[in-house]
Amino acid sequence: MIKFLLGETKTLKFRVTNSEGEDFTIQEASYKLYKANELVDERECKIEEHDILMVITPEERGFYNIEITYKVNDETRMGRYQIDCD
């Protein structure tokens, strides 16, 4: 779970790894931010080698879900994480 205080803006960084040790390139990445299953933000992410970076500012208190979609070689991968804004 990722924690925020209302009013905070944070850069979230997710590192993508390869369990087989092979080199890879992240071609593109984006995120969607949901609150109560309603889409509240959607943007492209910055890519730095094997890191995906995004700047998030929750607008209200409560729980959010962030879904990250990224492409590596010929695969589309996704991750979902929960954000608690207090």
Side-chain angles (χ1 to χ4, degrees), residues 2-6 8-10 12 56 58 83-86:
I2 304 165
K3 298 264 191 187
F4 277 79
L5 294 177
L6 187 61
E8 282 188 313
T9 297
K10 292 183 182 180
L12 303 181
I56 306 292
I83 294 173
D84 179 11
C85 181
D86 194 20

Side-chain angles (χ1 to χ4, degrees), residues 14-41:
F14 295 88
R15 172 146 301 172
V16 179
T17 60
N18 181 323
S19 62
E20 298 165 4
E22 297 174 1
D23 193 31
F24 63 93
T25 300
I26 303 170
Q27 285 93 15
E28 60 186 72
S30 62
Y31 76 85
K32 293 182 181 181
L33 186 65
Y34 295 91
K35 185 171 192 298
N37 294 321
E38 181 180 328
L39 182 64
V40 295
D41 194 13

